[in-house]
Amino acid sequence: MNLCYILSMFFFLLSLIFFWVGLGCINVIYFIEFNILSINSCSIVMTMYFDWMTFMFLSVVFFISFSVICYSNYYMMDDLNINRFILMVFLFVFSMILLVISPNLISILLGWDGLGLISYCLVIYYQNIKSFNSGLLTILMNRVGDVALLLSIAWLMNYGGWNYIFFLNFMNSSFNMSMILFFIMLACFTKSAQIPFSSWLPAAMAAPTPVSSLVHSSTLVTAGVYLLIRFKNLFFVNSSFIFWGVLFSVLTMFMSGLNANFETDLKKIIALSTLSQLGFMMSVLFLGGFNLAFFHLLTHALFKALLFMCAGVIIHNFNNLQDIRLMGCVGKYSPFMGVCFMFANFSLCGFPFMVGFYSKDLILEMMLFINNYNILLMGLIFFSTLLTICYTFRLIMFVILNNYNSLSINFLNDNSWSLNLSLVGLMIMIIFGGSMISWVIIPTSKLIFLPIFFKVLPLVMICLGSFMGYMLFFLKFSSKFKKMMFLKNFLSLMWFLPFLSNSGIKISVQLSSSFSKMDQNWVEFSVSNKIVDLVKSKVCSIELMFFNFNKLINLIVVLLFFWVFFIV
């Protein structure tokens, strides 16, 4: 039997089991310990932590993995190494499971490093120069987070162990606690691609589309948000960290939304939308809405996985074309695909009663209800949400409703039943999953009193954003704008973050070469090698000197011989 079907059914069964177990564990926490090794009084124990959050998140991860592996059977059918690809995806999911169930920073580091290493292997799966560059940028950015996590492990030794889950309730406002929070925030910012570490996320689009669907929905980029939710008790230790965290996350949300409106690559637009939603989750998290951030994490995983899978099929059927200006008529030639793509985009906008509506609308209403935040912060969050709706409707206009702009021959169809099966599951969850998850996470409804204008503000933003996206679809840039290279690059190159990342990588490579010399033996490289280089440069002069010295010695020997035998 095909490996894809075996693993997909395995993940589907695990998803159902974890969901039903999670429903019964709302107020229950399970600790499971395995004694791996015991020598005299020293024992190595593997601890697993299960609560309702673990069960619900793993249920969503397994369900998306089921859909992605079914989808891979269609998308990667011509690949000679499809079994290797599926096993790498399985290892990727296993690393995420290890990270989610661990109350220990050491085992979290294993899952964290596993995600980084396997993501590098998957990004360079298509072996070309672009993939190699993207993979290098991805793994080097993630190594910064790995180093920060290692430093947080070192600082946590001040509390006598690495099981952070036991120390969160009594950690006080000390310097040690501030350093642990700083390093955890730095690690989560690199993994979730917040400013200034945002450039690796669009570069990781060089991976196959099933990997992008898994990475951007429920595994790699959400690991940072999930870890910060676990460390939520530490946010009261140092308020300055909360200020800077909110600032960078809101700027990430604004920057990605602005750039997505000027992007023409289909996969990069969806990657920038992931970046925008990650910034939204981070900002909500730093403002104190931990359960709301987790709720949006689950809903975002469902519609973003479907969005990437639809985009992969569209690119596949357009003969690997990714420019949205050359697409169109997907809804006419491939109606089921067009409906799935439209529903995923509507959910991204927060359209009423889609899965994204239940989390996004609740978050915006809670912000308006609490109303004790900075007006600039609130303005940036709501304007970034408006930009999200704008680029989403621009994408719909180009891909679904536009005239056909590519070659006259096309391969748009809905004939693959394995593909349709992988999309139908996510489609059902997008329609019904929002209410299901909201009943579990928020069992008692929140009573929010707002004026009528604030109450209908999300709907007004949807209407206004759709009109802006419609106008952007017809926008033609003048020649004067095209000559303004600084503004053009600023709006389309993520505020020059890729250039800053590349320059940082060059500097780090130069430093590593010098540090490697110091690590090996600085005396050898600074003294012995200099002497050897000096001898090599003067070797001709030294050979000539030895030659003349040899002739002089021979002359002296001849003269001595003559003097001894003939004169004496």
Side-chain angles (χ1 to χ4, degrees):
M1 195 175 181
N2 195 345
L3 182 62
C4 292
Y5 294 130
I6 295 173
L7 280 180
S8 60
M9 293 311 298
F10 174 68
F11 282 140
F12 181 69
L13 291 174
L14 282 180
S15 174
L16 292 179
I17 292 169
F18 273 72
F19 182 75
W20 288 112
V21 172
L23 289 180
C25 298
I26 299 299
N27 297 317
V28 181
I29 297 174
Y30 293 102
F31 278 96
I32 300 176
E33 287 191 352
F34 290 101
N35 195 348
I36 299 173
L37 181 65
S38 181
I39 301 175
N40 294 333
S41 62
C42 178
S43 61
I44 300 175
V45 179
M46 173 66 188
T47 309
M48 292 185 288
Y49 178 82
F50 292 96
D51 61 349
W52 69 270
M53 194 176 288
T54 305
F55 284 117
M56 293 302 296
F57 190 61
L58 285 181
S59 173
V60 173
V61 169
F62 287 139
F63 187 78
I64 292 174
S65 303
F66 148 71
S67 301
V68 166
I69 291 177
C70 277
Y71 175 77
S72 301
N73 191 39
Y74 160 79
Y75 194 85
M76 308 289 289
M77 66 172 67
D78 296 328
D79 193 357
L80 298 177
N81 301 311
I82 184 171
N83 287 340
R84 183 177 67 182
F85 174 79
I86 296 298
L87 289 175
M88 288 172 70
V89 171
F90 176 76
L91 286 175
F92 195 67
V93 176
F94 178 76
S95 299
M96 190 66 193
I97 296 168
L98 185 61
L99 188 145
V100 169
I101 66 174
S102 298
N104 187 301
L105 277 183
I106 298 293
S107 50
I108 281 179
L109 182 66
L110 294 176
W112 195 272
D113 268 341
L115 286 173
L117 178 62
I118 300 169
S119 67
Y120 171 72
C121 297
L122 289 169
V123 168
I124 65 168
Y125 189 79
Y126 295 139
Q127 298 181 9
N128 52 55
I129 296 298
K130 182 182 177 182
S131 298
F132 290 156
N133 292 336
S134 301
L136 185 64
L137 180 62
T138 300
I139 197 168
L140 288 180
M141 282 287 184
N142 281 280
R143 291 311 290 172
V144 178
D146 298 343
V147 171
L149 201 60
L150 283 169
L151 290 172
S152 65
I153 288 172
W155 279 98
L156 200 63
M157 275 304 293
N158 290 294
Y159 292 90
W162 291 304
N163 288 315
Y164 71 91
I165 207 79
F166 301 133
F167 309 137
L168 291 178
N169 291 326
F170 63 85
M171 284 178 171
N172 53 5
S173 300
S174 63
F175 177 72
N176 292 332
M177 202 59 256
S178 299
M179 292 304 296
I180 292 171
L181 179 60
F182 171 73
F183 288 128
I184 291 294
M185 281 180 56
L186 180 60
C188 294
F189 267 52
T190 56
K191 192 67 79 174
S192 294
Q194 302 297 294
I195 287 178
F197 307 105
S198 303
S199 58
W200 73 264
L201 193 65
M205 289 296 97
T209 305
V211 176
S212 302
S213 178
L214 198 58
V215 163
H216 288 253
S217 60
S218 59
T219 49
L220 182 65
V221 295
T222 57
V225 181
Y226 182 82
L227 191 60
L228 274 182
I229 292 173
R230 286 300 189 191
F231 277 88
K232 60 186 177 183
N233 291 354
L234 302 191
F235 288 160
F236 306 105
V237 170
N238 196 326
S239 59
S240 61
F241 288 158
I242 298 177
F243 169 76
W244 288 108
V246 170
L247 177 64
F248 283 123
S249 56
V250 170
L251 284 178
T252 304
M253 185 181 176
F254 175 65
M255 179 266 295
S256 53
L258 190 64
N259 278 262
N261 280 287
F262 295 92
E263 185 60 60
T264 57
D265 189 310
L266 177 58
K267 287 184 73 174
K268 281 193 176 181
I269 291 174
I270 304 176
L272 288 170
S273 77
T274 303
L275 197 56
S276 175
Q277 297 305 302
L278 286 170
F280 187 52
M281 291 178 223
M282 283 284 194
S283 58
V284 173
L285 187 59
F286 284 114
L287 292 175
F290 307 113
N291 286 343
L292 293 177
F294 182 69
F295 185 19
H296 191 63
L297 182 67
L298 298 183
T299 58
H300 168 261
L302 293 170
F303 66 75
K304 189 52 61 72
L306 180 62
L307 195 58
F308 260 109
M309 289 158 71
C310 293
V313 177
I314 292 169
I315 292 169
H316 198 64
N317 289 338
F318 274 100
N319 199 17
N320 299 325
L321 185 71
Q322 295 187 204
D323 196 331
I324 60 173
R325 295 169 296 183
L326 303 178
M327 295 180 181
C329 275
V330 172
K332 180 179 178 181
Y333 293 109
S334 184
F336 179 71
M337 185 63 55
V339 169
C340 292
F341 191 73
M342 291 275 284
F343 270 57
N345 277 304
F346 284 160
S347 186
L348 174 61
C349 295
F351 199 79
F353 310 114
M354 296 287 108
V355 68
F357 166 78
Y358 287 90
S359 58
K360 185 175 283 190
D361 186 74
L362 182 59
I363 288 170
L364 295 178
E365 285 191 357
M366 286 296 292
M367 285 184 176
L368 292 171
F369 180 65
I370 296 174
N371 200 20
N372 60 353
Y373 301 127
N374 190 331
I375 187 65
L376 177 63
L377 179 69
M378 294 287 289
L380 276 175
I381 290 176
F382 276 84
F383 185 66
S384 303
T385 307
L386 186 66
L387 289 175
T388 300
I389 302 167
C390 179
Y391 68 71
T392 302
F393 273 87
R394 172 177 173 263
L395 183 62
I396 290 173
M397 289 295 298
F398 270 110
V399 176
I400 305 292
L401 305 176
N402 193 18
N403 294 325
Y404 191 80
N405 292 320
S406 188
L407 299 173
S408 58
I409 183 172
N410 67 80
F411 305 97
L412 291 169
N413 61 77
D414 291 329
N415 297 332
S416 175
W417 69 269
S418 62
L419 169 66
N420 294 338
L421 176 66
S422 64
L423 297 181
V424 162
L426 286 172
M427 187 76 171
I428 293 172
M429 288 302 295
I430 277 183
I431 298 172
F432 300 107
S435 56
M436 289 169 51
I437 298 172
S438 66
W439 294 334
V440 174
I441 295 181
I442 310 169
T444 57
S445 59
K446 296 181 181 295
L447 192 60
I448 301 174
F449 288 103
L450 287 174
I452 185 64
F453 174 72
F454 285 164
K455 196 67 178 176
V456 299
L457 184 59
L459 297 178
V460 172
M461 289 173 61
I462 290 175
C463 297
L464 182 59
S466 60
F467 176 73
M468 289 171 60
Y470 180 77
M471 297 305 294
L472 267 177
F473 170 69
F474 291 105
L475 182 64
K476 304 293 183 183
F477 293 111
S478 63
S479 57
K480 290 184 179 179
F481 179 81
K482 292 178 181 178
K483 292 178 182 178
M484 299 168 64
M485 294 303 296
F486 179 82
L487 182 61
K488 180 181 174 183
N489 292 333
F490 182 78
L491 293 174
S492 60
L493 288 177
M494 300 177 64
W495 295 356
F496 306 108
L497 283 177
F499 297 116
L500 295 175
S501 302
N502 290 335
S503 60
I505 289 173
K506 289 179 182 178
I507 293 172
S508 63
V509 168
Q510 292 172 357
L511 286 175
S512 64
S513 62
S514 60
F515 285 148
S516 65
K517 293 179 180 179
M518 294 174 63
D519 283 341
Q520 292 174 17
N521 194 341
W522 67 272
V523 176
E524 178 185 350
F525 280 97
S526 59
V527 179
S528 303
N529 286 354
K530 295 296 182 182
I531 296 174
V532 172
D533 292 339
L534 180 63
V535 170
K536 286 181 179 178
S537 62
K538 303 295 184 180
V539 65
C540 294
S541 302
I542 293 173
E543 285 183 355
L544 182 61
M545 183 182 69
F546 275 112
F547 180 72
N548 293 330
F549 183 72
N550 191 21
K551 290 199 301 185
L552 182 62
I553 293 296
N554 291 335
L555 180 61
I556 292 172
V557 170
V558 169
L559 289 175
L560 284 174
F561 182 78
F562 181 78
W563 183 74
V564 168
F565 285 95
F566 292 98
I567 298 178
V568 177

